[in-house]
Amino acid sequence: MIKPITAIIITALAAAFISCGGRGGEKEPAAAPVKVIFDTDLGNDIDDVMALQMLLNYEKEGRVELLGVTLCKANPATIAFADGYLRYNGRGDLPLGYVYDGVTPFDGTYLLPTLAATADGQPVLKPERTIDSNLPEAYKLLRRLLADAPDGSVVLISVGPMTNIGRLMDSAPDDISPLPGVELVKRKVKAVAAMAGLYGGGFDFPEWNVEQDIPAARSVFSKCPVPLTASGWELGNRLLYPHQSILEDFGDPQKHPLAIAYGAYMEMPYDRQTWDLTSVLDIVEPDRWFGYSPAGTITVDEKGFSHFTADPKGTQRYLTIDSLQIPATLQGLVNQVTGKNIKNR
Ligand SMILES: [Ca+2]
């Protein structure tokens, strides 16, 4: 028999554990998953693959609902890679849109090797959608997905040249929606996360995503009618993904498409910057891993340089990080890319 005082302590401890959401107690009521559209230039830098894997893992945790993926790299292998990768993760049903006359048409270094890779005599990726699949124009798919979504529900993540998002902002009413692009975004989108630009004064050059399609970036930053959080080049540059994780956390690295792509992108071993990953991490888990600039506005000049102006009425900001927070945030990124959080929930 348990003595009364011990019983009281146990009861108090159990109550505290449950209120902290501890495992083993009652589960916290799960928040509704965040509806996400992911606009990516898969095939340019490797961080897009890792950012996509983070989203797929968040979805497996019930924290994200992927509505669709739009491709802003104008290379046919991007379609096959995206479809094969989604299919590998059980999401071959996800809508895909493509930028038919967009920028960065080159093959890059990892799309074709990963598509050609085999394991145990089978292709690792088994794409069914290709350039011949008549995919919708990306900005039209964006319009469709937004039109079908509840008001104020969608998070738009932009981690490549902003061609598709720019065309969305500039789009006119059509048979999909009577709203022009900016109004459609205003009604349906809760927030935009964009890996784009360079902030804080430590460096001074046009950031790559912005530079590839300057008119599109100017359009997005000047017209975006909802809160936009940018991740600047300088942020992901401080958080280097450990190559040991690529070698150890995906089973046989010769058989997993992320590890194969990472190994093909550059000569191993290397620790790559986590630019696109930071936008995903913050928009799904705001106020946890990063700090923020004051509110303000971001402008892009004709040469592609980004400029931030603090303004209490502004709805744009950029991510920051304190040096002391870097190890924990990097571990947060690794856990999400590798899916370690799936097992822990
Ligand atoms: Ca990218």
Side-chain angles (χ1 to χ4, degrees), residues 143-162:
R143 288 183 59 83
R144 167 75 62 196
L145 295 172
L146 292 181
D148 290 347
D151 289 357
S153 68
V154 177
V155 160
L156 194 51
I157 303 178
S158 165
V159 295
M162 295 176 127

Side-chain angles (χ1 to χ4, degrees), residues 41 47-48 159-160 209 276:
D41 60 332
D47 56 341
D48 293 79
V159 295
N209 282 344
D276 295 355

Side-chain angles (χ1 to χ4, degrees), residues 8-20 25:
I8 289 165
I9 290 169
I10 288 171
T11 306
L13 285 173
F17 197 52
I18 289 166
S19 70
C20 290

